[in-house]
Amino acid sequence: MSRIPVRKQAFLVAVLSGLLLTPAMVNAQDTYADESANADPWEPVNRVIFRFNDTLDTYTLKPIAKTYDRFMPQPLDDGISNVFGNLGEPRNLVNNTLQGKFRDAGVDMARFLLNTTVGVVGVFDVATRMGLQRNDEDFGQTLGAWGVSSGPYVVLPLLGPSTVRDGGARVPEALANYSYTGQIDHVPTRNTALGTDLVDTRASLLAQEKMIRGDRYNFIRNAFLQNREFKVQDGDVEDTF
């Protein structure tokens, strides 16, 4: 299972948030270790948005995801996840190239070609079976690789956990138009794909949700920040939490 999208209506929120937050990215030059001491200076506001998102999820998306997870046959479930994973390969390719990781970019290209053809438009992940492991890159990680600090932690309406850097990175990613949402002109088909991707992603998080202990907000914030730093540094990080 994979990914977390909520696009369409959330796109406007992401754009506005990105435009408001992007200027702060220029001045955020402290190291991650320094930031982690006060990674969440906007916690009161973030908690309000978090409660809104969590309540919306509890009464809408989560019940749908549970039903999906309960009745979806595992082979079909895996196939759907594989298709959306394959559609994410162009993003991995672009960002690995921008980061100068040309070997990984080559893997992304090979994965996309193999899974799209031999894997029947990505239903079967034959590339992984051949030893080509999937990367997970986005423009926020690219900015981090270029030396842009993450900035404070923020919770975006509908979109969830983010940082100043990653929130601003959503804007050029949307404009780049390399995701499947930018390539499907038929609105009903695009909306169906978005909905399926969203539910499939939420269902993949049900098992992980059971690991949450203590203050739910703090747990998710710390897990998110650790995970983002791990990805930006390609695993070469120290546990600062």
Side-chain angles (χ1 to χ4, degrees), residues 103-182:
R103 181 185 179 280
D104 287 344
V107 170
D108 300 331
M109 176 65 77
R111 282 185 54 86
F112 185 70
L113 293 176
L114 280 170
N115 287 342
T116 301
T117 55
V118 181
V120 191
V121 299
V123 173
F124 303 102
D125 187 2
V126 297
T128 296
R129 297 175 188 175
M130 295 176 63
L132 299 173
Q133 298 301 316
R134 184 177 186 271
N135 297 304
D136 183 13
E137 300 290 338
D138 55 53
F139 194 59
Q141 293 177 58
T142 296
L143 291 176
W146 290 348
V148 178
S149 182
S150 66
Y153 176 74
V154 295
V155 181
L156 300 176
L158 303 180
L159 297 171
S162 187
T163 62
V164 167
R165 179 191 65 210
D166 295 340
R170 289 178 179 272
V171 179
E173 281 221 322
L175 296 176
N177 211 28
Y178 50 52
S179 71
Y180 68 89
T181 56

Side-chain angles (χ1 to χ4, degrees), residues 26-181:
V26 178
N27 299 317
Q29 297 301 322
D30 296 328
T31 64
Y32 179 81
D34 292 335
E35 289 170 349
S36 64
N38 186 26
D40 191 7
W42 305 323
E43 181 173 348
V45 175
N46 283 336
R47 281 187 177 272
V48 171
I49 300 173
F50 174 82
R51 285 195 295 271
F52 168 78
N53 289 347
D54 201 41
T55 300
L56 191 64
D57 174 72
T58 298
Y59 292 103
T60 56
L61 187 56
K62 187 175 180 178
I64 297 173
K66 283 185 172 181
T67 303
Y68 174 92
D69 188 57
R70 183 177 304 155
F71 294 105
M72 180 67 69
Q74 193 61 47
L76 181 57
D77 193 12
D78 291 341
I80 291 173
S81 296
N82 289 340
V83 167
F84 287 113
N86 188 53
L87 291 172
E89 296 294 356
R91 183 182 72 170
N92 296 329
L93 171 61
V94 169
N95 284 290
N96 271 323
T97 301
L98 290 173
Q99 294 174 42
K101 297 190 291 189
F102 301 114
R103 181 185 179 280
D104 287 344
V107 170
D108 300 331
M109 176 65 77
R111 282 185 54 86
F112 185 70
L113 293 176
L114 280 170
N115 287 342
T116 301
T117 55
V118 181
V120 191
V121 299
V123 173
F124 303 102
D125 187 2
V126 297
T128 296
R129 297 175 188 175
M130 295 176 63
L132 299 173
Q133 298 301 316
R134 184 177 186 271
N135 297 304
D136 183 13
E137 300 290 338
D138 55 53
F139 194 59
Q141 293 177 58
T142 296
L143 291 176
W146 290 348
V148 178
S149 182
S150 66
Y153 176 74
V154 295
V155 181
L156 300 176
L158 303 180
L159 297 171
S162 187
T163 62
V164 167
R165 179 191 65 210
D166 295 340
R170 289 178 179 272
V171 179
E173 281 221 322
L175 296 176
N177 211 28
Y178 50 52
S179 71
Y180 68 89
T181 56

Side-chain angles (χ1 to χ4, degrees), residues 147-216:
V148 178
S149 182
S150 66
Y153 176 74
V154 295
V155 181
L156 300 176
L158 303 180
L159 297 171
S162 187
T163 62
V164 167
R165 179 191 65 210
D166 295 340
R170 289 178 179 272
V171 179
E173 281 221 322
L175 296 176
N177 211 28
Y178 50 52
S179 71
Y180 68 89
T181 56
Q183 305 302 318
I184 302 176
D185 295 326
H186 189 250
V187 176
T189 301
R190 182 174 63 226
N191 290 343
T192 299
L194 279 168
T196 304
D197 192 4
L198 176 60
V199 173
D200 179 67
T201 296
R202 184 62 183 90
S204 72
L205 298 175
L206 292 173
Q208 299 177 33
E209 203 172 9
K210 297 177 182 177
M211 297 187 297
I212 297 177
R213 297 290 184 273
D215 186 312
R216 184 177 175 86

